[in-house]
């Protein structure tokens, strides 16, 4: 497991009975987490600003216990992101992904040190609020950020401006599969590809996505967009049934003869209890340069 354990503005204070208590730079949130199957302290007795309640009919809602800003910022190293409690328990940021931001930044930095004249192009698919886009752009990569939700793309622009990298990112509101198909026809190439596909979803035109059915074929199409000497291909998954080895197999089979090393790992984040909370899986191909 690769563990995000160097945050200053974010901490998991405690976990128990399907919930996690988090400190987001002074704002304390209590949210459900399906990985917390153990019991311990009654976290509802702790002091917090808001709690997310699941509904038996699906979804849920936030309940405020104290007043706090509707949105605020947190920083990770030299990156700054907006945090805002939203529907379905999300805040617009996944702090555990710091391990992948660090990995991609290192790859890009090394490539630029080896060839300072090289322009590095990165494609971020299902890119949400753009933390990975911001991280790559901070190292000087030119990023194309694609997501079907206009509101999330607008939030990505806000995050980029907060970190001073807005000029390095191109924003696209579109179905990811349709965009990739167009880029293949155009002959465009990228040195790095990131994707964080949902388990299930629909595009703006009603296109249906199911990760177990569609991921491998989509990755094979995306491979066609890789440059002659690609730097990386990263897949993130929060789908419980997809183990890290599955992501490694997908990348290995889809990449074929591309030269490099593929690894896969659980992603987690440290807690104040001295444990690491699992938060999904990643598969990462790093090319030979």
């Amino acid at each position: 497991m690769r563990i995000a354990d160097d945050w200053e503005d974010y901490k998991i204070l405690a976990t128990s009975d399907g919930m996690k208590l988090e400190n987001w730079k002074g704002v304390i949130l209590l949210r459900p987490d399906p990985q917390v199957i153990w019991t311990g302290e009654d976290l509802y007795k702790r002091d917090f600003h808001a709690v997310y309640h699941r509904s038996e009919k699906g979804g849920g809602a936030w309940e405020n216990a104290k007043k706090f800003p509707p949105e605020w910022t947190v920083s990770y190293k030299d990156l700054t992101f907006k945090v805002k409690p939203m529907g379905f328990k999300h805040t617009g940021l996944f702090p555990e992904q710091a391990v992948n931001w660090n990995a991609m930044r290192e790859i890009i930095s090394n490539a630029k040190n080896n060839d300072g004249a090289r322009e590095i192009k990165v494609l971020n698919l299902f890119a949400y609020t753009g933390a990975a886009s911001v991280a790559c752009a901070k190292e000087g990569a030119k990023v194309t950020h694609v997501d079907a939700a206009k509101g999330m793309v607008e939030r990505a622009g806000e995050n980029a401006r907060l970190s001073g990298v807005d000029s390095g990112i191109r924003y696209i509101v579109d179905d990811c599969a349709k965009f990739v198909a167009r880029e293949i026809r155009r002959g465009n190439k990228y040195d790095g590809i990131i994707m964080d596909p949902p388990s299930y979803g629909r595009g703006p035109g009603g296109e249906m996505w199911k990760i177990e059915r569609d991921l491998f074929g989509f990755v094979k199409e995306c491979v066609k967009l890789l440059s002659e000497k690609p730097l990386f291909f990263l897949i993130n998954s929060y789908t419980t049934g997809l183990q890290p080895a599955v992501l490694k197999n997908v990348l290995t089979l889809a990449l074929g003869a591309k030269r490099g090393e593929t690894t896969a790992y659980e992603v987690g984040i440290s807690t104040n209890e001295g444990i690491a909370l699992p938060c999904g899986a990643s598969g990462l191909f790093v090319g030979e340069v």
Side-chain angles (χ1 to χ4, degrees):
M1 179 185 288
R2 298 189 183 181
I3 301 171
D5 57 4
D6 56 352
W7 275 89
E8 294 185 2
D9 284 0
Y10 173 82
K11 299 291 182 184
I12 297 180
L13 304 176
T15 58
S16 178
D17 197 24
M19 304 292 286
K20 59 185 176 185
L21 187 70
E22 308 162 294
N23 185 338
W24 295 83
K25 198 177 179 180
V27 178
I28 312 301
L29 302 180
L30 183 59
R31 292 194 292 163
D33 192 301
Q35 299 292 339
V36 182
I37 64 171
W38 49 89
T39 57
E41 177 186 357
D42 183 356
L43 298 182
Y44 285 92
K45 294 182 178 179
R46 292 280 288 266
D47 195 29
F48 52 81
H49 290 85
V51 56
Y52 185 87
H53 297 292
R54 287 194 184 277
S55 168
E56 294 181 357
K57 298 179 181 179
W62 289 94
E63 178 187 359
N64 290 8
K66 294 181 176 181
K67 288 185 178 180
F68 65 99
E71 57 186 37
W72 64 101
T73 62
V74 299
S75 294
Y76 176 77
K77 297 183 178 180
D78 56 351
L79 308 177
T80 301
F81 306 108
K82 181 173 287 188
V83 175
K84 179 181 180 180
M86 302 183 295
F88 201 64
K89 77 176 181 177
H90 292 315
T91 62
L93 187 67
F94 296 94
E96 69 279 357
Q97 286 300 316
V99 297
N100 286 326
W101 308 336
N102 292 340
M104 290 182 292
R105 291 186 69 171
E106 182 178 2
I107 293 168
I108 293 167
S109 177
N110 289 341
K112 294 184 79 68
N113 288 336
N114 292 334
D115 182 2
R118 180 178 182 181
E119 182 181 74
I120 295 171
K121 297 173 62 179
V122 173
L123 175 61
N124 189 6
L125 300 166
F126 309 99
Y128 196 48
T129 57
S133 297
V134 170
C136 292
K138 198 69 173 180
E139 291 300 324
K142 298 297 182 183
V143 181
T144 298
H145 174 108
V146 187
D147 197 282
K150 182 180 179 181
M152 295 301 100
V153 174
E154 290 173 348
R155 286 282 300 279
E158 294 175 3
N159 284 331
R161 288 186 286 276
L162 286 169
S163 291
V165 296
D166 188 48
S167 62
I169 302 176
R170 178 171 65 124
Y171 305 96
I172 306 292
V173 179
D174 200 357
D175 174 74
C176 289
K178 289 183 176 180
F179 177 80
V180 166
R182 288 201 307 274
E183 289 291 89
I184 292 171
R185 291 195 297 270
R186 293 167 180 154
N188 288 335
K189 298 293 181 180
Y190 295 88
D191 302 294
I193 295 177
I194 309 161
M195 65 171 66
D196 200 340
S199 298
Y200 174 86
R202 289 186 180 274
E207 305 88 353
M208 184 180 296
W209 166 274
K210 188 174 182 181
I211 194 168
E212 294 89 347
R213 181 192 66 196
D214 299 324
L215 179 63
F216 180 63
F218 185 58
V219 171
K220 286 176 65 178
E221 288 299 294
C222 290
V223 169
K224 298 175 183 177
L225 294 177
L226 288 174
S227 60
E228 184 177 347
K229 293 184 178 180
L231 296 180
F232 63 86
F233 197 131
L234 173 68
I235 305 174
N236 291 311
S237 174
Y238 296 93
T239 303
T240 306
L242 295 186
Q243 301 300 316
V246 173
L247 300 180
K248 182 176 181 179
N249 291 344
V250 166
L251 283 170
T252 299
L253 294 172
L255 287 161
K258 295 288 185 183
R259 296 177 64 85
E261 181 180 3
T262 300
T263 57
Y265 43 89
E266 281 189 280
V267 175
I269 192 159
S270 61
T271 78
N272 282 9
E273 303 157 310
I275 62 173
L277 182 64
C279 303
S282 293
L284 176 61
F285 165 82
V286 178
E288 291 184 2
V289 294

